[in-house]
Amino acid sequence: MVAENWPGVDAEWSRTIEVPSTSGVDAGAVRRWHLLDNGAQLSRLGLSPAGTLLCVHGNPTWSYLWRTLLAAGSNPDHPWRVVAVDQLDMGSSERTGTFRRLADRINDLGDLTQALGLDGPVVTVGHDWGGVISLGWALAHPQLLAGVVLTNTAVHQPAGSGIPPALRLALHPAVHKWGTTTSDAFLRVTHSLADPPLPAAIRKAYMAPYRGSDRRAGVGNFVADIPVDASHPSFAALTAVAEGLHGLKVPALMLWGPRDPIFSDRYLKDLISRLPHAAVHRFEGAGHLLAEDRNIAQPVFQWLGENTPGGSGKAEATAPGRTVGGSPDDGAGPEQAEFRPLWDLLDGQAAGPAGGSPAVVEMSPNGSPARSLSWQQLDRSIVDLTAGLKEAGVGRGSRVSLMVPPGVDLTVALYACLRLGAVVVVADAGLGTKGLSRAVKGATPDVLIGIDRALAAASVLGWPGRRISVRDLPAARRRVLGVETSLHVLARSGAARGFGQPADSMDPDAPAAVLFTSGSTGPAKGVLYTHRQLAAMRDTVGATFGIRPGARLVAGFAPFALLGPALGAVSVTPAMDVTAPRTLTAGALADAAAAINATVVFASPAALRNILATRDGLSAAGHEALRGVELLLSAGAPVPEPLLAEVQRLLPRASLHTPYGMTEALPVTDISLEQIQAADADAAAGAVAGAGNGVCVGRPVHGARVAVVPLAEDGTAPTSRPVAEAGVTGEILVSAPHVKEAYDRLWLTQRESAGMPGWHRTGDVGHFDDAGRLWVEGRLAHLVTAPGAVVMPVGAEQAIERLDSVRLAAITGVGPAGTQAVVAVVETVPPARKAGPVAPQLAGEVRRAALAAGVRVSAVLAVPAQPTDIRHNAKIDRSRLSRWAARVLAGGRPGKP
């Protein structure tokens, strides 16, 4: 083979070396190894490497897999020697005619590094079976080791599960030799796993060392050496590596492609249990050949710079942000208040005078209360279930996915898990089937607690975790769904055992929950919270909105229902489809309010629209129940002032608030209807500098600081000093005790969001006015980079939505960055029958409205309904609209966006 014919490979990297073998299979033989090694190139350029990356491929690839790391290692800004090996019988290394087992291959790698005279620091990099082999070398060479990097590999077969079906097929006697050696089928199938598909030249390079069955014996032997059970000759060697990882304390990085039919997330979960300190990033949409599906060089070298000798680890300077009192601070992280666990007020209500009064109420479809628990009953139920779960093996650190609708059962299960120290995983059905499945598989729960429908989905879609039903099921149904037991059985057992009280040694900084984002700006992300941060969220909400024990809450948004007991508030979820907020009717809201004499309501903007649309059928008693509401909170998307004004007429005594926040930090700022009206008046009159061009979301909530990172001319937000000056547009930053701990298994995303110590980068864009109010102008990812200008979408969208004929508007860009055309996509009143260009009259009205907001629109399109997220029914998918608009404007069939 000729290195010049390998795309992406510098011919200078290709070399061979003769290595004496000490492996038992051929001790004393001298073997020829092929490597891709940039060491000579670095020497020629006069560059001193910070260390060596020892890269080990799996089956059936070769050192070509690591070409991007070789190129990155030759960068003068961060030189690293990269030695990518072709294992014996693989790639362009010698065909030895021997059957090399796992122990031999680990030893082979040691022979090679000895012959190379490799010195530390060394970071191993492995994929597939190369991951196991690289780890075996790492454990045998602690004096040289500085870190380990793993991509899609495994060191242990989880108990109770067989090897992946694809490998089982490849091992079948009728298939094995033909599929792996006689033909090139195993190679072709492996290469087909790449997404996007490999270009022809890349496929050709991967196939080059394996032309002819005599070149593929190593491929077949690698498959045959998979230890399927304890009787396999390589089982002991694999077990030694797996057990050895528990003592490996060097920095570790795991980069994973979850769409892998071989090494699924269950193997990642096992590796995390062995290397709990590892940085982990899952690349959604990527698969087995991660190094081909994604650019892994960038994260690897970022990680090297921060975790190995020579890494800078420098923190960026911070600056004061806007605070609730407007007073400056020193830019340090948020102060930590005295910790009180999330259930502290719940316990207080149960032990106090309110103990016998309702705490949680469920509504029936006919509008009457169907089920309720008093505070004392709720506390007792939680204690009993805590004991039952503990007896069933659920404990600290166990991940428990809760697939239960809001109400009594979910409340009891949630607080029982938290008191145990388990980590609750909340991925609601509002993500849609695909999004929900992706979230659950990524979180790899140990236990899944669900209603029948959720358990059926778990069976069909292969969700991980032991399964527990809510109610007792017939034996046949339990077998079909794979259910071990039920919450009711566990609660009864716990009541009999009586050891459900939580331990006094609860670690406030231990993980408590993984809450998933709505997925409106890409795949839903798991957001990890500690017990301290959840408690801080409770305290922030209570202090900001004056919600105190004894308040009575109607939760028209599922996640908020879970916070009610933590606030000491009576909670009820109205009769509605909690996965579709817009199904909440005025009648259902009034019935729920009447059931508890509600004082607080939380509903999404989409729910508010439907409440207003169905108010004509409201009875006098319903109106009376709503007149008792003192506070309305609505969040999830901007809420237009006219909509709030209409709601105010329905809730005449209520103070209407639209807090701004996100799953990562809820809430961040707050504003009332009266404050919105004042801000709009200031903007219209030009009375306050910076007022206008966006949605005014008010001032920071209790304990929060907010600032912005100024935008560059190209619409990006490079890391720089945070500012809180009026009129400066930038990415919005927040610092508060209730900001998330991290993104779950998304190291790169977390690194980007926390790149400025003490701050969370929200991805939203906005500015302050001279009165200290924050105005949100859009998402950083949704900015339109037109020629000579960066267009913020929200201001123009609001101007367009003031037209009587427009219900919702979205501004998006079509074309290459820097030369994008601005396109307005509107949902009209009445809705358009077909998607496509609008009538000239409406187009003119839209253009004039946008121009008044400073935005020149090139094209106006209409859709029957804007594509919104499932959870809120409010966040418009502008990226999806952009792709659709590009197709329409290019002459394609409109179809549905």
Side-chain angles (χ1 to χ4, degrees), residues 556-557 581-584 602-613 632-640 643-644 647 657-659 807-808 869 871-875:
F557 179 53
R582 58 176 161 233
T583 61
L584 177 59
F602 189 103
S604 76
L608 294 183
R609 287 191 175 92
N610 197 52
I611 289 167
L612 292 176
L632 171 90
L633 303 176
S634 186
V639 188
L643 176 65
L644 286 175
V647 173
H657 288 249
T658 62
R807 180 175 177 269
L808 290 173
D869 67 300
R871 177 185 289 174
H872 299 285
N873 298 153
K875 295 182 178 180

Side-chain angles (χ1 to χ4, degrees), residues 800 840 842-852 855-860:
I800 295 169
L842 178 56
E845 293 173 356
V846 169
R847 285 192 173 97
R848 286 190 292 273
L851 191 58
V855 175
R856 190 176 298 276
V857 170
S858 299
V860 183

Side-chain angles (χ1 to χ4, degrees), residues 395-463:
R396 294 191 178 186
S398 298
R399 290 197 167 200
V400 181
S401 178
L402 298 176
M403 300 255 175
V404 185
V408 170
D409 293 319
L410 178 58
T411 303
V412 172
L414 173 80
Y415 285 92
C417 288
L418 291 175
R419 291 174 77 140
L420 265 178
V423 181
V424 295
V425 177
V426 182
D428 61 86
L431 298 177
T433 302
K434 286 180 63 176
L436 179 59
S437 188
R438 186 165 50 218
V440 175
K441 288 181 177 179
T444 57
D446 302 288
V447 177
L448 190 152
I449 299 174
I451 58 174
D452 269 26
R453 187 169 60 180
L455 296 170
S459 298
V460 173
L461 299 173
W463 294 345

Side-chain angles (χ1 to χ4, degrees), residues 598-667:
T599 57
V600 183
V601 170
F602 189 103
S604 76
L608 294 183
R609 287 191 175 92
N610 197 52
I611 289 167
L612 292 176
T614 57
R615 62 185 160 176
D616 290 346
L618 206 54
S619 66
H623 278 288
E624 185 62 28
L626 295 181
R627 272 193 288 270
V629 175
E630 300 170 3
L631 173 67
L632 171 90
L633 303 176
S634 186
V639 188
E641 185 274 337
L643 176 65
L644 286 175
E646 284 289 303
V647 173
Q648 184 73 84
R649 284 188 275 274
L650 190 61
L651 306 173
R653 293 182 53 212
S655 177
L656 275 53
H657 288 249
T658 62
Y660 158 71
M662 56 223 59
T663 306
E664 297 89 337
L666 183 68

